[in-house]
Amino acid sequence: MEDRHRDFMRKAIELSQKNVEEGGGPFGAVVVKHGNIIGQGVNGVTRLNDPTAHAEVNAIRDACKNVKSFDLAGCQIYTSCEPCPMCLGAIYWSRIERIYYANTKKDAASIGFDDQFIYDEIGKAYESRQIPFIKVEDDNAINAFNMWKDNADKIRY
């Protein structure tokens, strides 16, 4: 199986290198299930004008589309770099079971992709964060939550 890990990682790295050649960011990822690539993605932030278009998120979106499910349990992700906080959240929400990565977040920081400030912000109290968190009270806000809770036909995720 070690050779398969290298093959999948090489694919993620090849995607990252090709993306740089085409003017994009240096990140690539593949989602694997039962030894097959079911999704792949590259960093499309500048090409798509979308700050959420990271390689891992794009690979997850592609995999979900291909398997027609939002649940990627039983899958692994191979990514050319240790995931940022947003991508890590997406990986957890998608239920991917294992992360394989090549470059570290320290490697990414050394070329200008430093996410440490986000990790630091998450642990702070709202009033200490750089972006203010302001709760707006509205008695109707809870209605959608109650509707969801009471809906017998809801699809849990």
Side-chain angles (χ1 to χ4, degrees):
M1 186 58 172
E2 184 65 31
D3 286 341
R4 297 292 292 168
H5 292 307
R6 290 199 190 290
D7 291 343
F8 295 135
M9 185 56 72
R10 281 190 187 116
K11 178 63 176 175
I13 292 167
E14 286 171 15
L15 288 168
S16 72
Q17 291 171 344
K18 185 172 188 256
N19 200 48
V20 171
E21 291 169 358
E22 295 174 354
F27 305 98
V30 296
V31 176
V32 174
K33 185 169 189 172
H34 303 306
N36 297 304
I37 294 174
I38 62 167
Q40 62 183 35
V42 296
N43 182 284
V45 171
T46 57
R47 182 174 35 84
L48 299 172
N49 293 315
D50 179 352
T52 69
H54 289 201
E56 296 90 339
V57 170
N58 286 336
I60 290 168
R61 289 173 178 160
D62 189 43
C64 289
K65 180 184 71 165
N66 291 333
V67 299
K68 297 176 178 48
S69 177
F70 54 82
D71 185 342
L72 296 177
C75 294
Q76 305 82 43
I77 191 164
Y78 292 78
T79 178
S80 63
C81 186
E82 186 175 353
C84 75
M86 177 184 68
C87 292
L88 188 57
I91 290 166
Y92 275 98
W93 278 113
S94 69
R95 296 184 179 88
I96 286 175
E97 295 178 358
R98 200 162 290 208
I99 301 167
Y100 297 92
Y101 64 95
N103 295 311
T104 67
K105 61 184 176 181
K106 185 176 178 183
D107 296 327
S110 74
I111 61 165
F113 294 95
D114 191 352
D115 300 321
Q116 189 58 48
F117 76 98
I118 299 173
Y119 287 105
D120 295 342
E121 283 286 297
I122 291 169
K124 292 180 181 176
Y126 291 156
E127 59 275 3
S128 299
R129 292 183 178 175
Q130 290 179 22
I131 297 176
F133 274 57
I134 304 156
K135 182 165 179 19
V136 177
E137 297 291 339
D138 188 314
D139 292 340
N140 293 315
I142 199 70
N143 290 346
F145 281 19
N146 289 332
M147 291 167 62
W148 169 261
K149 180 181 67 171
D150 297 339
N151 182 355
D153 297 326
K154 66 182 161 251
I155 298 172
R156 294 190 176 275
Y157 58 95

